[in-house]
Amino acid sequence: MSIAIRPHSASSARRLLGVGVIFGAAVTVAACGSSGGTSSGSSSPAAAGGASSAAAGSGSASSAGATTSSVTVSAKSVAGLGTVLVNQKGQTLYMLTTEKGGKITCTASNGCLHAWPEINLPSGTKAATAGSGVKSSLLGTVKGGAGKTEVTYNGWPLYTYFGDSAAGQANGQGISNFGGTWYVLNTAGSPVTSKASSGGGGNGY
């Protein structure tokens, strides 16, 4: 009896061993599949989050890049001259008599712009803003002496003067240099040729 049972027992043992190997392999495959699925699932939100962050960053950069400061031309009373044009900082604006109609004679090459900085539009800005007392229809632009877009009023290119250290000053009024004479402009766009009572215009460049 023992001799008959041994082969049977050995065969059963081999069958059980085979089943165990197959079951173990199945469990391993299932575990790997589960692990792979979890890994894939966890990486997708991260990737999506990264894409969202990148998109948000791009939008912020775009918004920041689109933001530019504008130029505003307004009217303000200056002693001895009446109501004249000023920029957004309250600095008095001037024109040069040789530049009627936008003919530029004040340039970087002749040194004029060192004393008389031109009023340029920031990149991406199409026009100056008309402030209090100013006619928007008289605002325009021309290619200035530095090659940039310069603001004009009634055809006159606009400048500030390096000798004005504070708002409300007009030390450049009546100065003759660079081929013409510098005057402030009234709100109608006409040169004001009287001398400012605050004077100081003798700082010729």
Side-chain angles (χ1 to χ4, degrees), residues 66-160:
T67 303
T68 56
S69 57
S70 62
V71 171
T72 299
V73 177
S74 302
K76 184 178 179 180
S77 179
V78 173
L81 296 175
T83 301
V84 300
L85 302 185
V86 300
N87 66 9
Q88 63 271 20
K89 296 180 180 179
Q91 296 172 301
T92 303
L93 299 180
Y94 302 85
M95 44 66 64
L96 180 60
T97 55
T98 56
E99 296 192 338
K100 177 64 177 176
K103 180 184 177 181
I104 300 297
T105 58
C106 182
T107 67
S109 61
N110 65 13
C112 179
L113 294 180
H114 291 294
W116 304 90
E118 61 188 19
I119 305 301
N120 297 133
L121 289 179
S123 177
T125 305
K126 295 182 178 180
T129 300
S132 176
V134 169
K135 299 177 181 179
S136 60
S137 60
L138 295 182
L139 286 170
T141 60
V142 69
K143 184 177 180 180
K148 299 180 180 180
T149 303
E150 184 175 2
V151 179
T152 64
Y153 192 78
N154 195 30
W156 294 106
L158 300 178
Y159 303 83
T160 55

